[in-house]
Amino acid sequence: MAYEFSGRDELSDAELLELSQEAENEATPSTIRVMLNEFKADKTAMASAIFIVAFILLVVIGSFFVNVPQIMQTDLMGYYAKPFTNYILGGDSSGRPILSQLVVGSRNSILIAIGLTAISSTFGVVYGLVSGYYGGYIDLTMQRVYDFMMIIPMLMTIIVLVTIIPHYNAITLTLLLSIFYWMGTSRLIRSSSLAESQKDYVAASKVAGTSNFKIMFREILPNISSLIIVDTTLSFAENIGVETGLSYLGFGLPDGTPSLGTLIANANDPNNITQYWWTWLPAALEIILLCLAISYVGQVLRRTANASQRRGN
Amino acid sequence: MWKTILRRILIMIPELIVLSILVFLLAKAMPGDPFTGSINPKSNPAEIHRLMKANGLFDPWYVQYWHWVVNLFHGNLGMSYEYQMPVVDLIKQRGMNTLWLAAFTMILTYAIGLPLGIYAGKKEGKWPDTLIRIYTYVTMSIPFFVVLVIGIWIFGYALGWFPTSGSVSPSVSGLGPTLLSRLGHIILPGLLGALFGTVNIIQYLRSQVIDSKHSAFVKTEIAKGVPTKAIYRHHIFRNSVLPIAAFAGYSITGLLTGSIFTEMIFSYPGMGQLFLNAVNFRDYTVITTLVLLYGFLNLLGTLISDIVLSIVDPRIRIE
């Protein structure tokens, strides 16, 4: 016993502090660290994540080299050009190169999906957090608004709004969509914020006189951050479908602005769908691959958020 | 329980009012007026002015709203100027087609979802479970319309197994052949819709079955020597399946939203296609009626689901 005590004397206070800090870090690894470990343990997830990032970079950088007005011009020489003849991926009914449209369209669709996810998730998180934290009448009122939003026939209302807004572009479209796609996130965050606000640390913080704002955003928010990351990732995959679906129907991005949805809309022509498959199939496959990869990453993150399902250490 | 149901219905009333105001404002925001399609372009502007005044188009919005609601209750939803017929008749006609497709999709959804969900739960962690989970993961990730497009390409055009447009083949006559032809037209869209609609059911059932598998009462039964099959049939199955009924109401929303894509891709003459046409032709009376109708159906769907859930699951009633 005596020896152990003497051993302790050799450590300076600074060293002791450092050691205890290290021990603490090991006991409660940060969310980011846990997620990194999880990716290291799952090679498919790693590959998916790399694929997504590389793909986004590729289309964003690649689109700088594409002259949009030029490729959207009709070119009689490229009329339904087969792949690897005039253009690498062939041409559409107006002889416009599919590959360039695909690059610009992917950029547009992905950027809108990112913007939509950022805005709607932020709003959904704040809405759910406030609703769940305060509870009572505030929660009741906010949930009535939520219920009402759920009743509105979303797709139809968006289509009607798109047709009555006089001059809309990618930004207006993103904002418009954001009005309708925050509910899922808010529901999820509300339930965990409700559970979190019952915990002792919140009660202790309240007694200590911390402001509600600070408790919500500095204390509860970090504690549910992993959940938010998971939800955001999964919403991102979903939101790619939202914009492309709308553009597919012809109510998304305006004419002359390529999107993955407008490319798939080439399939509406029975001739295109059978004979000229290259006009729409690449875009369809791209959406499938991208959504599967993003969603896979989301599933891995979900496992990370739920300690019992982790694979890495 | 009656208290819960009554409260739920009372909540519905303000929601319905707000919905109708929203739809009314949407209708007002749309360019043009109800006469745009029906009046002669050569009409005298003064005459148009008189007509508009006579129809109360210069009244304050709440007066106009009131007239609109009164008309609504009298079943007077206006005329479609594209089809030149009352909107009510038009919707009755198209609604039947959508109903056929929706009912068929719903039946398939449960026929696929129930067994898969229970089986996945039963085989938790084994390869059938993994396979089913991959299936739910894939259908959850990919946008529905992309799969519809690829589905119609492969099974409709390339293989030619199913018709690619319409609701009945034009050449058939007689009740039997007509019904068969109708079925033929909805099999592919219905099946694809069902494959995508099952995710919630499967995930819910799977976790329910796993939960009850590990619960104390099932362990007691096993200890008592009750055969596994009987436990599944009498307890696990019954416990898990009842709440699933409630999903039917909620899924109305999904079915209706999906129907816009399905009906467009399969050129199926239902309400979704009617809506898209109406938007393209700026047929405002049809648009507003459909938005209102779909909203009302959503409301009804959630109401029924909530009531079913509160009957089945007493825990919900307590709050």
Side-chain angles (χ1 to χ4, degrees), chain A residues 166-239:
Chain A
H167 302 289
Y168 78 100
N169 51 31
I171 294 170
T172 7
L173 183 68
T174 314
L175 291 174
L176 182 66
L177 292 176
S178 303
I179 301 174
F180 294 94
Y181 284 93
W182 52 269
M183 282 93 79
T185 306
S186 89
R187 191 71 170 175
L188 184 78
I189 301 301
R190 173 182 172 264
S191 63
S192 49
S193 146
L194 210 58
E196 207 69 20
S197 58
Q198 305 296 321
K199 289 192 178 162
D200 288 342
Y201 74 86
V202 173
S205 216
K206 271 185 192 162
V207 173
T210 318
S211 71
N212 286 330
F213 185 83
K214 216 171 175 182
I215 297 180
M216 273 188 280
F217 293 99
R218 290 275 184 78
E219 293 172 3
I220 296 181
L221 191 67
N223 275 330
I224 54 174
S225 62
S226 52
L227 190 70
I228 295 174
I229 296 174
V230 176
D231 178 68
T232 309
T233 318
L234 293 175
S235 320
F236 180 45
E238 203 187 308
N239 289 341

Side-chain angles (χ1 to χ4, degrees), chain A residues 1 5 67 81 122 152-153 247:
Chain A
M1 290 297 271
F5 274 116
N67 183 343
T122 310
I152 297 178
S247 296

Side-chain angles (χ1 to χ4, degrees), chain A residues 151 248-249 273 292 295-296, chain B residues 15 137 141 153 265 298-299:
Chain A
I151 286 163
Y248 170 79
L249 291 177
I273 201 170
L292 281 179
S295 176
Y296 189 80
Chain B
E15 284 177 347
Y137 150 71
S141 320
W153 173 48
I265 292 166
N298 279 347
L299 194 64

Side-chain angles (χ1 to χ4, degrees), chain A residues 144 147-148 150-157 159-161 163-164 234 237-238 240-242 244-246 248-251 261 264 267-270 273-274 277 280-281 284-285 287-288 291-293 295-297 299 302 309, chain B residues 8 11 14-16 18-19 22 26 29-31 133 137-138 140-143 145-147 149-150 152-153 157-158 203 253 257 260-261 264-265 271-272 275-276 279-280 282 284 287 290-292 294-296 298-299 302:
Chain A
R144 289 292 81 78
D147 284 346
F148 179 69
M150 291 303 285
I151 286 163
I152 297 178
M154 254 195 274
L155 189 64
M156 290 178 137
T157 313
I159 289 176
V160 173
L161 287 176
T163 48
I164 57 182
L234 293 175
E238 203 187 308
I240 290 181
V242 171
T244 49
L246 209 56
Y248 170 79
L249 291 177
F251 300 102
I264 299 180
N268 286 337
D269 184 338
I273 201 170
T274 45
W277 51 267
W280 63 275
L281 193 59
L285 293 180
I287 289 188
I288 292 180
C291 287
L292 281 179
S295 176
Y296 189 80
V297 169
Q299 302 292 339
R302 175 177 284 168
Q309 295 180 1
Chain B
R8 195 60 196 71
I11 289 172
E15 284 177 347
L16 203 56
V18 179
L19 179 74
L22 180 93
L26 270 185
M30 286 185 273
R133 287 177 74 185
Y137 150 71
V138 169
M140 216 167 49
S141 320
I142 309 173
F145 79 97
V146 177
V147 175
V149 171
I150 290 185
I152 198 174
W153 173 48
Y157 288 102
Q203 287 184 338
T253 324
T257 311
I260 293 185
F261 286 108
M264 173 172 171
I265 292 166
M271 291 201 289
F275 175 75
L276 287 179
V279 171
N280 284 328
R282 305 287 187 268
Y284 298 124
I287 299 175
L290 281 176
V291 175
L292 194 66
Y294 273 48
F296 182 67
N298 279 347
L299 194 64
T302 14

Side-chain angles (χ1 to χ4, degrees), chain B residues 6 28 66 79 117 119 125 177 179 208 295:
Chain B
L6 190 72
K28 286 277 120 190
W66 181 247
M79 291 275 288
Y119 195 63
L179 278 179
Q208 278 283 312

